[in-house]
């Protein structure tokens, strides 16, 4: 049995272009998460925004709008809806590997009752520190939900066979990580918010709150890990999720 990798888009994030390292005044970018179907269990890399954000009056959305940001999410785009289209019962998901603790990467955790959260220790620790969590915008209400948590330090081979390897890529947040996946779909480097989109590889326009030295180092490291066959999948790149998405998705 081979390993299969799927990409799903869980709504759109709307913000100023500057906030996403883009030139346009306002931009809308996809919020992807990934499903790794491995013989030893199902793993997700990130889990999108919470299904409760289908409601325009959800309290965090209301707060985001006061800061010039917004999320749009339809019932067909929730994590649970994507998993159902892939014929996956969310209760069967074994691992939720989190790139970092921002709401648009951990929001679907509440829909995964039996998953073990796999996160860098530096990220989880920051999530519970007052100053760091405020600076980086890490909100416990989205991730501190009583899941079993596996804290890792640096590289971590999730299944022990090289199919899914966590790669530390700190800087966007204190313990951000990426995931290298070797599957029937080829070699993918899911970089998360270590790089929002292709343009940032050159421009190095990183978010204001991030540690820019660390982000530069992390991105250089990720770029060096690529082979000729590796496809780099960025954190929020509209060009990768258009009519011909970079990864196969669940069919409706
Ligand atoms: Zn993000």
């Amino acid at each position: 049995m081979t390993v299969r990798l799927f990409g799903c888009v869980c709504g759109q994030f709307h913000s100023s272009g500057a906030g996403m390292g883009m030139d346009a005044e306002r931009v809308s970018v996809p919020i992807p998460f990934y499903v790794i179907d491995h013989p030893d269990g199902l793993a997700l890399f990130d889990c999108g925004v919470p299904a409760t954000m289908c409601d325009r009056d959800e309290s965090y959305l209301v707060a985001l709008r006061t800061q010039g940001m917004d999320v749009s999410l339809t019932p067909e785009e929730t994590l649970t809806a994507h998993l159902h289209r892939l014929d996956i019962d969310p209760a069967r998901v074994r691992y939720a590997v989190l790139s970092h603790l921002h709401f648009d990467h951990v929001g679907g955790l509440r829909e995964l009752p039996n998953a073990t959260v796999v996160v860098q220790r530096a990220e989880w620790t920051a999530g519970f520190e007052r100053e760091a969590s405020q600076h980086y915008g890490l909100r416990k209400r989205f991730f501190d939900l009583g899941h079993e948590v596996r804290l890792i330090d640096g590289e971590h081979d999730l299944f022990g066979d090289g199919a899914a390897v966590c790669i530390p890529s700190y800087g966007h947040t204190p313990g951000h990580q990426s995931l290298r996946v070797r599957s029937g779909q080829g070699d993918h480097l899911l970089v998360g918010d270590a790089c929002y989109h292709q343009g940032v590889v050159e421009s190095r326009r990183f978010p204001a709150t991030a540690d820019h030295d660390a982000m530069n180092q992390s991105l250089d490291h990720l770029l060096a890990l690529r082979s000729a066959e590796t496809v780099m999948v960025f954190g929020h790149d509209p060009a990768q999720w258009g009519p011909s998405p970079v990864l196969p998705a669940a069919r409706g």
Side-chain angles (χ1 to χ4, degrees):
M1 194 175 150
T2 57
V3 177
R4 297 188 306 159
L5 174 65
F6 299 95
C8 308
V9 174
C10 186
Q12 300 279 320
F13 181 70
H14 312 282
S15 79
S16 70
M20 297 304 300
M22 294 175 179
D23 290 328
E25 196 176 326
R26 297 286 305 170
V27 296
S28 297
V29 300
I31 301 172
F33 72 91
Y34 311 88
V35 179
I36 300 119
D37 186 3
H38 187 280
D40 290 343
L42 281 160
L44 300 193
F45 181 55
D46 285 341
C47 41
V49 294
T52 49
M53 287 191 175
C54 289
D55 177 358
R56 301 289 300 147
D57 296 328
E58 196 272 345
S59 61
Y60 195 70
L61 275 191
V62 173
L64 272 186
R65 285 201 285 274
T66 66
Q67 300 165 52
M69 293 175 273
D70 204 354
V71 166
S72 50
L73 178 71
T74 66
E76 295 74 37
E77 293 173 319
T78 65
L79 174 130
T80 296
H82 278 294
L83 294 183
H84 283 164
R85 276 196 295 279
L86 286 167
D87 222 7
I88 292 169
D89 175 354
R92 277 206 300 126
V93 173
R94 184 175 177 197
Y95 299 115
V97 181
L98 304 178
S99 65
H100 64 300
L101 298 178
H102 279 157
F103 81 97
D104 57 322
H105 298 259
V106 304
L109 264 185
R110 196 178 286 281
E111 296 158 58
L112 303 170
N114 301 317
T116 294
V117 168
V118 181
V119 64
Q120 293 285 326
R121 185 184 308 275
E123 184 72 7
W124 194 252
T125 303
F128 291 86
E129 283 171 1
R130 210 172 127 252
E131 228 168 279
S133 63
Q134 275 181 7
H135 175 79
Y136 288 101
L138 316 175
R139 303 274 179 264
K140 276 193 292 221
R141 56 185 278 196
F142 293 116
F143 59 81
D144 185 20
L145 303 173
H147 291 86
E148 201 168 304
V149 179
R150 182 188 291 181
L151 297 179
I152 59 177
D153 298 287
E155 267 197 35
H156 177 73
D157 187 341
L158 188 63
F159 294 104
D161 61 357
V165 180
C166 299
I167 312 280
S169 47
Y170 301 166
H172 179 76
T173 52
H176 185 284
Q177 63 181 347
S178 302
L179 191 71
R180 195 183 70 209
V181 181
R182 300 206 159 120
S183 73
Q185 277 74 38
D187 287 2
H188 290 86
L189 198 48
L190 313 176
V191 303
D193 287 357
C195 189
Y196 278 155
H197 55 86
Q198 174 76 51
V200 175
V201 173
E202 289 298 319
S203 74
R204 304 288 170 126
R205 285 168 69 180
F206 299 130
T209 53
D211 176 337
H212 289 208
D213 287 344
M215 283 201 81
N216 267 311
Q217 275 181 35
S218 293
L219 187 46
D220 288 342
H221 178 59
L222 291 167
L223 291 166
L225 287 177
R226 292 180 305 174
S227 70
E229 293 79 40
T230 307
V231 176
M232 215 162 178
V233 186
F234 302 105
H236 298 282
D237 191 339
Q240 292 193 315
W241 300 100
S244 44
V246 66
L247 280 168
R251 298 268 168 250

